[in-house]
Amino acid sequence: AYQVKTQESDNTLSVFGISSKKTLQMHRGDQVKFTSDSKFAVFNIKPFYKDLKEVRIKKKKENEIAKDSIGIINLTTQKVEKLPNLKSFKVPEKGEALVAYLEHKEEKKDSTKGKKVDAIKDAKKVQPLNLVLRNLTSGKKEIFKNVTEYDFSENGKHLIFATKPEKKDSTDKTPYGVYLVNTTSFTKQLIVVG
């Protein structure tokens, strides 16, 4: 894989298949990661350069710009899947073909004023988001709510993540803390409370 970066335009990520002798070009592709079995490539898809430039010129807020997306290439079938509105993704260094990614919160419309109300009021605070864990080979998927941080173990057999409540709510009885997920069975275990 290689990337062509231009100064005043969108980048292009190219992934060359040795066995297929074909090159897939992904417009606005960035930061490619391969699964340890080399069957999948996962990469960021940046917003259009012209949109980012307009945001800087007009000094728009962060919530007014398009969010990054990710692309997942099945290197065997050459099929590309695109997932919009994501904050980050990670793949384990070893083990199964897994990907974990954080999804941005959707913006809500204020029905009285017709203006967008940002679901995340203070961008400087770490806000809890949905974490999605997917096995790319089997298609198995699990969503974990209110996640602030996450990472895979080096061998890819576990995913660890921290949770916190989205808002202070005395009626919320959900246990928050640090969880460990077995990436084979997708079972989670609370290992630190709070």
Side-chain angles (χ1 to χ4, degrees):
Y2 63 92
Q3 183 179 26
V4 177
K5 290 191 172 198
T6 56
Q7 204 168 21
E8 295 280 329
S9 185
D10 296 314
N11 300 331
T12 301
L13 175 69
S14 297
V15 179
F16 179 73
I18 294 173
S19 59
S20 67
K21 306 243 188 275
K22 292 183 181 178
T23 301
L24 288 174
Q25 291 191 333
M26 304 296 133
H27 190 61
R28 300 179 288 126
D30 195 27
Q31 300 172 348
V32 66
K33 304 264 187 205
F34 292 91
T35 57
S36 62
D37 61 3
S38 299
K39 293 183 179 176
F40 296 90
V42 185
F43 60 95
N44 272 344
I45 302 171
K46 296 288 185 188
F48 286 102
Y49 175 81
K50 64 180 175 90
D51 294 342
L52 293 174
K53 187 174 180 179
E54 185 176 315
V55 166
R56 286 191 297 264
I57 291 170
K58 293 184 178 180
K59 296 182 181 174
K60 290 186 177 182
K61 294 178 184 173
E62 187 177 327
N63 64 342
E64 295 179 291
I65 64 171
K67 306 287 190 263
D68 285 358
S69 302
I70 65 168
I72 301 171
I73 305 171
N74 182 326
L75 297 171
T76 307
T77 64
Q78 307 281 309
K79 183 180 176 188
V80 179
E81 177 184 7
K82 295 179 182 177
L83 304 169
N85 207 26
L86 301 179
K87 182 175 181 178
S88 65
F89 75 89
K90 293 183 181 181
V91 296
E93 291 178 30
K94 298 176 184 171
E96 295 187 57
L98 299 166
V99 64
Y101 50 86
L102 280 177
E103 299 177 314
H104 277 288
K105 298 262 188 211
E106 290 189 27
E107 293 179 348
K108 297 176 184 174
K109 286 255 187 184
D110 184 347
S111 59
T112 59
K113 297 177 185 170
K115 293 182 180 179
K116 287 183 180 179
V117 176
D118 191 9
I120 302 170
K121 292 182 180 177
D122 188 0
K124 293 182 182 178
K125 288 184 180 178
V126 176
Q127 297 295 323
L129 303 171
N130 287 343
L131 174 68
V132 179
L133 172 63
R134 282 182 55 188
N135 182 316
L136 297 173
T137 306
S138 70
K140 190 173 184 179
K141 176 178 163 179
E142 187 74 32
I143 299 172
F144 305 101
K145 297 190 179 294
N146 298 322
V147 175
T148 56
E149 299 177 65
Y150 67 104
D151 209 349
F152 282 103
S153 61
E154 188 176 329
N155 63 10
K157 292 185 179 186
H158 294 96
L159 172 72
I160 191 166
F161 63 87
T163 62
K164 78 172 195 177
E166 188 173 359
K167 296 177 185 170
K168 291 188 179 191
D169 184 0
S170 60
T171 61
D172 184 6
K173 303 296 182 205
T174 307
Y176 293 98
V178 179
Y179 286 87
L180 186 68
V181 177
N182 178 318
T183 58
T184 305
S185 63
F186 281 45
T187 55
K188 73 177 181 178
Q189 173 186 359
L190 181 63
I191 56 175
V192 177
V193 178

